[in-house]
Every structure is written in structure tokens, then in C-alpha cells.
Amino acid sequence: MNILSLNKILWIYAGFFYFFLYGPLLMLTFLSFNSSEIVGFPFVGFSFKWYNLVLESPELIKALFNSIGVGICTAFISTILALLLAMGFRHDFPGKQLILYLILVPIIIPGIIGGIVLLIFFGYSEIRPSLWSTVLIAHVNWVLPFAFLTLYPRIHGFDKSLEEAAMDLGAKPFNIFFKVIIPIIRPGIIATILFSFSLSFDEFVRTIFVTGFERTIPVQFWGMIVDELAPQLPAMAVIIILISILTSLVGFIYINLSNKN
């Protein structure tokens, strides 16, 4: 097989790969502009009415802001906890390996099992399901391991000689942390916050077990699928995807700007 044939095979493989990866998203975006009352083909006509319906629906807007609010709180809480854990794991202490395994447990167990465990825990603890108690705790529980795994390499690879130099100059631990360590790892912290927000914003499986009367946008989306295949669902899905893409894009831009500076 010559190089030309190999290149053709690779191009065909890449074409199929990207088609199956992005084809459903493009199809969903295309259907979101379909004026038909039925989700699917044929394409009746181009219209923005489903986007208008989504943006004018109080329930959907409330669910969207619920997801954004919980996502922001989850991102900051998880990042702070992950930063403290990463700083602690720079030192040796009894049970270090066991604690590491416990931190990673939410990633290992299936989402549905994690949701059931949280439901039982909140039930025995007599904590009433609500957006800012059970849902927030469940999201932090899910996001924290990812935040830790994102920040730990930054902290682990930090040059300790910089801290030692600051100590030699008379800086106190508090000042070293905020004026030496934080500025250097700031891009990693920002990336962790944005990544944590994306994970929380899209979280559904654990949320459905612990949510109360207030719904996040994925739970609201699921309810509309179960009750009826509402024609505005593709428009909702596109808005959710755009928010996730925008969050990632902001992170990439910030990291690139930080690296250039």
C-alpha cells in the first residue's frame, strides 16, 4: 500500500469520524429552525419561533438560571476544596492513598448508583430536597474529583524553590500562598472553575434523584421529553450546547492569553 492510498483511507476515516461526532449536533441545529409542530422531518419552513418560545417561557428561563446559579456555586466551592486538597497532598501524611481513593469514588461509581446513595443519605439525614441544599451538595460531590485532578498536576509540578526564596526574604505562609502560588497557578484555577461549571450545568443523572420542586435545565428538558416531545426541544438543546461551548471557549482564550503573557 503506497502513501497516497494510505492518505485516502485516513481522510475517509476522518470524514466518518467527524460525521458521526458532529452530524447529530448539526442535525439538531437544523431541526431547531423547523417551523413544523413535530420534531423531525419533513422540513416545513425556516423559523425562529421555537427559540422565541424558549426565551419567553418562564419555566424554562427559571430552570436555565437555576442551572447557571448552581453551576457557579458548584464551580467555586469545588475549585476551592480541590485547591486545598491539592495543597495538602503535597505533603505525606497517614492515609494519604486511602483519602485519594475516596476523593475519586464519585468518578468510579455509575451515576445512577451515586444518585441512589445520595437519595438514601439525604433521606436518613432528613434533609429536604431543594436546589441549594441537596442538588448543590450532589453537584459538588460529582465535580470535586474532576476539579482535584485538574488542579493537582499544577500544584504537584510547582517549583518549591520559589516558596523557599519567598521565605528567605521574610514572607509569611499567608503571603506566599496569595502572592506567589496563586498568581502562578491562576490559569489552572480559572480552567478548573470553567470546567467545573460545565460539568455542573450539564449534570442530570444525580440531580434527578435529589431535586425538589425547583428544576435545573437538564431535568426540565427531561420532563418535557417524558410528558410530550415538545417542538421547542431542539432549540432548548442548541441553547444548552451553546452555553457549554461558550464556557469552554472562554477558558481556552484565557489560557492562551495567559501563556502569551
Side-chain angles (χ1 to χ4, degrees), residues 124-177:
Y124 276 108
S125 302
E126 298 183 353
I127 300 175
R128 296 185 62 181
S130 71
L131 195 67
W132 301 107
S133 59
T134 54
V135 173
L136 181 60
I137 294 172
H139 281 213
V140 172
N141 174 265
W142 162 241
V143 172
L144 179 58
F146 293 97
F148 174 77
L149 291 176
T150 305
L151 269 180
Y152 180 70
R154 291 271 185 172
I155 301 295
H156 185 70
F158 188 85
D159 188 358
K160 291 186 178 181
S161 63
L162 298 175
E163 295 177 80
E164 295 170 355
M167 291 179 186
D168 292 339
L169 294 173
K172 295 182 179 180
F174 183 85
N175 291 328
I176 293 173
F177 180 74

Side-chain angles (χ1 to χ4, degrees), residues 106-124:
I107 297 179
I108 299 171
I109 62 175
I112 190 170
I113 302 299
I116 293 172
V117 170
L118 288 169
L119 177 64
I120 295 172
F121 170 77
F122 292 136
Y124 276 108

Side-chain angles (χ1 to χ4, degrees), residues 235-253:
M236 280 182 59
V238 171
I239 292 174
I240 294 172
I241 293 169
L242 287 176
I243 292 175
S244 299
I245 292 174
L246 181 62
T247 304
S248 302
L249 185 61
V250 170
F252 285 128
I253 293 173

Side-chain angles (χ1 to χ4, degrees), residues 161-237:
S161 63
L162 298 175
E163 295 177 80
E164 295 170 355
M167 291 179 186
D168 292 339
L169 294 173
K172 295 182 179 180
F174 183 85
N175 291 328
I176 293 173
F177 180 74
F178 283 100
K179 294 185 178 181
V180 177
I181 298 177
I182 293 296
I184 293 176
I185 65 171
R186 185 181 291 118
I189 293 175
I190 300 298
T192 303
I193 291 174
L194 294 172
F195 181 45
S196 299
F197 173 82
S198 297
L199 289 174
S200 174
F201 184 80
D202 296 327
E203 171 55 31
F204 166 74
V205 178
R206 294 161 184 81
T207 308
I208 195 67
F209 283 94
V210 299
T211 190
F213 294 104
E214 296 179 295
R215 294 183 170 186
T216 60
I217 196 67
V219 175
Q220 182 73 27
F221 194 92
W222 174 79
M224 295 178 68
I225 293 175
V226 172
D227 295 339
E228 59 172 333
L229 194 58
Q232 65 267 33
L233 288 176
M236 280 182 59

Side-chain angles (χ1 to χ4, degrees), residues 13-24:
Y13 170 78
F16 277 106
F17 175 82
Y18 286 110
F19 173 77
F20 285 108
L21 184 64
Y22 295 108

Side-chain angles (χ1 to χ4, degrees), residues 13-179:
Y13 170 78
F16 277 106
F17 175 82
Y18 286 110
F19 173 77
F20 285 108
L21 184 64
Y22 295 108
L25 297 179
L26 295 175
M27 182 64 67
L28 188 68
T29 304
F30 181 72
L31 291 175
S32 69
F33 296 104
N34 189 3
S35 60
S36 173
E37 298 288 336
I38 300 174
V39 179
F41 291 100
F43 191 85
V44 176
F46 187 89
S47 175
F48 285 98
K49 69 177 183 178
W50 303 126
Y51 286 95
N52 294 330
L53 186 62
V54 170
L55 297 176
E56 292 173 359
S57 172
E59 291 183 352
L60 296 179
I61 294 299
K62 184 178 180 181
L64 178 62
F65 278 101
N66 285 342
S67 288
I68 293 174
V70 172
I72 291 173
C73 292
T74 300
F76 279 96
I77 294 172
S78 299
T79 302
I80 292 171
L81 292 177
L83 179 60
L84 296 176
L85 286 170
M87 292 294 295
F89 269 79
R90 300 175 74 195
H91 310 282
D92 292 325
F93 54 88
K96 179 179 178 180
Q97 199 68 25
L98 176 61
I99 294 176
L100 177 61
Y101 291 149
L102 291 175
I103 293 172
L104 301 180
V105 163
I107 297 179
I108 299 171
I109 62 175
I112 190 170
I113 302 299
I116 293 172
V117 170
L118 288 169
L119 177 64
I120 295 172
F121 170 77
F122 292 136
Y124 276 108
S125 302
E126 298 183 353
I127 300 175
R128 296 185 62 181
S130 71
L131 195 67
W132 301 107
S133 59
T134 54
V135 173
L136 181 60
I137 294 172
H139 281 213
V140 172
N141 174 265
W142 162 241
V143 172
L144 179 58
F146 293 97
F148 174 77
L149 291 176
T150 305
L151 269 180
Y152 180 70
R154 291 271 185 172
I155 301 295
H156 185 70
F158 188 85
D159 188 358
K160 291 186 178 181
S161 63
L162 298 175
E163 295 177 80
E164 295 170 355
M167 291 179 186
D168 292 339
L169 294 173
K172 295 182 179 180
F174 183 85
N175 291 328
I176 293 173
F177 180 74
F178 283 100
K179 294 185 178 181

